[in-house]
Amino acid sequence: MADELLVFEQTIEALFLRALQGRLTPACKERLRQAGLDVDQKLRPAYSFESWMAFLRIAAEELFPRDSVAQGTWKLGEAYIEGFRETMLGRAVLSLLRVLGPRRTLMRATQNFRAGNNYTESKLSELSPTQFELWMNEVGAYPDFTAGIIHAGLRVAGAQEVRVEPSNYDGHACTYRISWKEASVSSGVAGSGDSKAAMRSGSISSL
C-alpha cells in the first residue's frame, strides 16, 4: 500500500461535482471549504485520505441529517456510481461492468477502485456462484460508503436483489459479504438509476 494515501481528482468530481450537483447548500459548501474542498474552484489532482473522510462525513451530515452517518454514507456510495457514470472514465468503466457481469466485476475490484485512489487492495473469496466475500484493505471510517458503491456497481453489472453486508471491520480493513439472486444485464442497466431516485427521496435501496 502507498505510503501516502491519496484520493484522485476524478473521485471528488464524480461525487461532489456530478452526483451532488445542485444539492450542496451554502452551509455545506462552507464546511467543505473549511475542510479543504472548494467545489467552486478547480479541483486539485489529489486529496489526502483523511480529507476525503472528512468530506464524506460533512456531506452525509448535511444532506441526510435524519440518518445515521452509516446510512448517509451508504447513500453517498450509491450516488457516487451515478456521478461516476457522468465522467469520461466512468462511462468506460461502467460500460465494461455491464459486459463483465457481477462475478467478474468483483474479480476486478482492486483495479476498479484504483481508478480513483492509490491504495486499494482486495481479496475475493467465492462461496457460491452468487455469494462472495470481498476483503478490502482500507475503507476508512465509513465502510458503508464502500458498501453503497459495491451495491450500486453490481446492479449496473446486472445483479438483482443485491445484498452487501460489512463485517469484520477493524477501523481500516473490512470484509463485505455479497450475494444476489440472479443476474440480468438488461435489468441491471434499467435499475442503475434507481439509486439516484432513492437518494432524492431519502431512502436506502433494499439490501
Side-chain angles (χ1 to χ4, degrees):
M1 188 166 65
D3 292 335
E4 182 181 7
L5 308 189
L6 297 174
V7 175
F8 301 146
E9 174 185 2
Q10 55 262 34
T11 299
I12 305 295
E13 177 190 358
L15 182 59
F16 288 96
L17 302 190
R18 304 287 186 167
L20 303 182
Q21 183 180 24
R23 302 200 62 205
L24 300 178
T25 65
C28 184
K29 286 184 177 183
E30 179 58 29
R31 287 187 65 188
L32 289 170
R33 189 176 297 112
Q34 291 177 4
L37 174 61
D38 190 338
V39 296
D40 295 321
Q41 300 294 325
K42 181 177 174 59
L43 297 177
R44 300 201 298 266
Y47 294 79
S48 72
F49 182 72
E50 291 76 13
S51 295
W52 171 237
M53 291 293 103
F55 303 159
L56 291 180
R57 186 191 71 251
I58 291 167
E61 291 173 349
E62 291 288 335
L63 295 178
F64 309 109
R66 296 183 180 181
D67 294 327
S68 67
V69 174
Q71 291 173 317
T73 52
W74 177 291
K75 292 177 181 178
L76 291 176
E78 291 210 311
Y80 171 82
I81 292 295
E82 292 301 324
F84 189 49
R85 183 195 305 278
E86 297 178 12
T87 67
M88 289 184 60
L89 176 62
R91 283 192 293 272
V93 170
L94 296 182
S95 294
L96 179 61
L97 299 193
R98 288 193 284 268
V99 174
L100 293 176
R103 181 178 181 275
R104 288 190 292 169
T105 290
L106 288 176
M107 292 173 66
R108 288 172 49 91
T110 295
Q111 185 175 348
N112 291 337
F113 276 85
R114 277 292 184 102
N117 65 56
N118 72 336
Y119 55 83
T120 293
E121 298 173 3
S122 66
K123 296 177 183 177
L124 184 67
S125 299
E126 183 172 354
L127 307 179
S128 79
T130 58
Q131 290 184 312
F132 293 81
E133 288 188 346
L134 177 65
W135 173 87
M136 300 188 73
N137 64 319
E138 182 61 82
V139 298
Y142 309 113
D144 288 275
F145 175 74
T146 300
I149 291 177
I150 295 169
H151 185 268
L154 287 177
R155 294 179 68 204
V156 170
Q160 296 181 356
E161 299 185 48
V162 182
R163 295 179 61 89
V164 182
E165 301 174 352
S167 66
N168 298 324
Y169 171 61
D170 64 4
H172 294 277
C174 186
T175 297
Y176 296 92
R177 300 180 184 274
I178 303 165
S179 64
W180 60 89
K181 290 290 183 67
E182 57 182 296
S184 167
V185 171
S186 60
S187 63
V189 174
S192 62
D194 293 349
S195 60
K196 199 166 189 177
M199 190 187 73
R200 286 197 300 266
S201 64
S203 62
I204 297 179
S205 299
S206 59
L207 300 181

